[in-house]
Amino acid sequence: SASKNERILSLVEPKKAPRNWKKYKQNFVNPLLVLRGNKFLKKHALAFEQAEKTYGVPREIIAAIIGIETQFGQNLGNFSTFEALVNLAFYDQRRADFFKNELKEFLYFTRENNYNPLNIKGSYAGALGIAQFMPSSIRRFAVDFDGNGQIDLIQSEMDAIGSVAAFLKEHGWQKNKAIAFALDLNGNIPDAFLTNVHPSLLV
């Protein structure tokens, strides 16, 4: 069983301060992370090439996601995944059904892979591994990309690369399509946008 963890519950509380893109950007687009990203791309050049061929997702997109999620495996999280999911499923009612399902998926995942569920750690929201997949996403979308017969997103960087690509492909990624589109509002910006977006974004 898992007792109530106030720290986990406080971390998932909606933030009162408005979101600030410039501050957020500094955390993830900085010289150190770019350096780590270049090393990661070079280290796994063959895996990225195979991911691009298999799923059509560019290596830069895959690497960027892994970099933002865990700084290329440097920070997988120190929270007990079991404890985090129990708290969000039974002590926080906002998304209780979602997290109850994730708890179920997590227990299936640990049983299928002969893991002790009490030994696995990840984020305070129950995501785990190099790519920070939720348990249901691991069971549905993760792939054995290093070919060793086991899907391991906690230690296998190659499995993480392939799984991110597979996830994006399954969610509609289309090769060589634009990732952003210009929107011409003829100067008529909706009030809802202006009232819900931090001024730092309006640059």
Side-chain angles (χ1 to χ4, degrees):
S1 64
S3 59
K4 188 173 184 179
N5 186 315
E6 295 294 348
R7 176 158 172 71
I8 290 173
L9 297 175
S10 67
L11 285 169
V12 297
E13 281 285 331
K15 303 299 182 287
K16 295 180 180 179
R19 296 179 180 180
N20 187 313
W21 163 244
K22 290 182 179 179
K23 182 177 180 181
Y24 181 84
K25 181 180 177 181
Q26 290 172 357
N27 293 332
F28 297 105
V29 184
N30 57 65
L32 177 59
L33 205 56
V34 170
L35 179 62
R36 286 178 177 169
N38 283 329
K39 289 182 177 179
F40 193 77
L41 284 163
K42 290 177 181 177
K43 178 182 179 182
H44 297 293
L46 292 177
F48 280 112
E49 181 180 354
Q50 186 59 41
E52 288 177 331
K53 288 180 179 178
T54 304
Y55 302 107
V57 182
R59 65 190 66 196
E60 295 84 1
I61 299 297
I62 302 169
I65 290 173
I66 294 174
I68 288 172
E69 292 295 343
T70 63
Q71 298 187 24
F72 305 102
Q74 297 293 310
N75 181 17
L76 303 186
N78 292 312
F79 291 87
S80 161
T81 300
F82 178 75
E83 184 178 13
L85 291 173
V86 167
N87 270 265
L88 296 174
F90 297 103
Y91 297 113
D92 187 301
Q93 297 304 310
R94 285 169 302 166
R95 300 180 66 193
D97 289 342
F98 171 80
F99 285 107
K100 285 176 183 177
N101 183 67
E102 291 299 330
L103 177 59
K104 178 187 72 176
E105 294 285 344
F106 174 69
L107 293 174
Y108 280 141
F109 161 71
T110 55
R111 184 177 68 182
E112 290 164 355
N113 291 277
N114 296 314
Y115 294 140
N116 182 336
L118 302 181
N119 290 343
I120 296 179
K121 294 184 178 182
S123 79
Y124 59 81
L128 58 136
I130 297 166
Q132 291 291 279
F133 274 28
M134 294 300 290
S136 62
S137 291
I138 294 177
R139 297 189 71 234
R140 290 180 61 191
F141 306 113
V143 296
D144 173 22
F145 211 56
D146 60 16
N148 70 351
Q150 182 179 19
I151 296 172
D152 181 3
L153 298 191
I154 297 174
Q155 298 186 61
S156 173
E157 294 175 337
M158 289 183 66
D159 283 2
I161 290 167
S163 296
V164 168
F167 180 93
L168 292 176
K169 176 68 174 178
E170 288 295 320
H171 283 80
W173 184 276
Q174 298 180 53
K175 185 177 181 180
N176 297 327
K177 295 291 185 178
I179 61 172
F181 301 89
L183 178 63
D184 186 0
L185 297 173
N186 295 316
N188 299 314
I189 302 176
D191 290 339
F193 180 84
L194 293 174
T195 56
N196 288 291
V197 174
H198 191 273
S200 67
L201 292 175
L202 301 175
V203 295

